[in-house]
Amino acid sequence: MAEKTSVKICGLRTVEEVAAVAAAGASYCGFTFFEKSPRAVDLTTARDLALGAPVGLAKVALTVNADDAFLDALTAQVPLDMLQLHGAESPARVAEVKARYGLPVMKAVGVAEASDLAALESYFPVADQILVDAKPPKGGELPGGNGLTFDWRLIAGRRWPVPWMLAGGLTPDNVAEAIAMTGARQVDVASGVERAPGVKDLARVQSFVTSAQG
């Protein structure tokens, strides 16, 4: 029997959302620490959400070019299972963060064309996972969560030496096609399961997980 696709629902802000994500069968829940995002939470809120998360639901913190001072505070206050670096962090910075905090690190890499895949490969020696996301639009405020897809044919059939997760414009309507085309074993969604920016639609959350795992 084929292994079920692992699902990450990112940008959670309420206890109800965390509970719904767990009940739907997702493997990861994501908390966003980027002030310009409509999904941003503060450390106190994130701590409460993380402490209330059911056992078995991996808690991931999304940060963007965060310095040690912020990451020190984050890891001291919020019980986490993984750090997601979603900015312009270099491979050296990824290695530094991993060594300093002793947590698995997932590095997000934006893809728009074939040439972007070389940058992705530079993180293989240092990252525990890679998040293959759609490149944000030029001048865009948000590094992710923009609801944009990229051409999935760019990564169709590729095999990489570290676990990876597909993101970028996924919805309950297209996630099965994306998985079929790319062979992704893990998928990530934020805006694709919302009824308004930063507000999850719990029915869409369930629909997304069902579609991804069907």
Side-chain angles (χ1 to χ4, degrees):
M1 189 172 155
E3 194 181 327
K4 272 187 178 175
T5 304
S6 295
V7 175
K8 175 170 169 277
I9 310 285
C10 199
L12 305 185
R13 299 172 65 218
T14 68
V15 173
E16 292 74 23
E17 289 178 353
V18 174
V21 163
S27 300
Y28 305 83
C29 65
F31 308 124
T32 300
F33 301 94
F34 183 60
E35 286 178 4
K36 293 176 180 174
S37 172
R39 302 167 194 96
V41 289
D42 59 32
L43 295 181
T44 305
T45 301
R47 176 179 171 79
D48 291 343
L49 296 179
L51 287 171
V55 174
L57 183 65
K59 301 171 292 293
V60 183
L62 184 164
T63 66
V64 180
N65 303 322
D67 60 16
D68 286 351
F70 178 77
L71 293 176
D72 286 351
L74 170 64
T75 53
Q77 291 185 52
V78 185
L80 295 168
D81 298 297
M82 184 178 285
L83 292 169
Q84 177 179 330
L85 306 184
H86 214 109
E89 300 90 356
S90 66
R93 177 59 176 158
V94 173
E96 196 176 79
V97 168
K98 185 174 166 176
R100 183 177 176 94
Y101 300 102
L103 285 168
V105 174
M106 175 157 56
K107 178 66 183 93
V109 181
V111 171
E113 51 198 43
S115 59
D116 296 321
L117 297 177
L120 188 152
E121 290 170 8
S122 69
Y123 292 99
F124 291 160
V126 291
D128 295 281
Q129 296 207 37
I130 301 290
L131 182 77
V132 185
D133 200 357
K135 212 173 215 179
K138 277 192 169 55
E141 293 265 279
L142 303 180
N146 293 296
L148 300 173
T149 59
F150 64 95
D151 185 351
W152 298 321
R153 291 171 297 187
L154 290 172
I155 61 169
R158 287 181 181 264
R159 294 291 173 266
W160 288 316
V162 294
W164 63 280
M165 192 176 282
L166 179 66
L170 298 178
T171 69
D173 301 319
N174 69 12
V175 66
E177 180 191 356
I179 290 167
M181 192 176 289
T182 63
R185 303 307 307 143
Q186 304 191 105
V187 291
D188 179 44
V189 66
S191 61
V193 291
E194 290 178 347
R195 64 173 185 267
V199 183
K200 295 292 182 276
D201 180 323
L202 304 188
R204 280 180 73 77
V205 168
Q206 179 65 69
S207 177
F208 184 89
V209 176
T210 302
S211 298
Q213 295 183 342

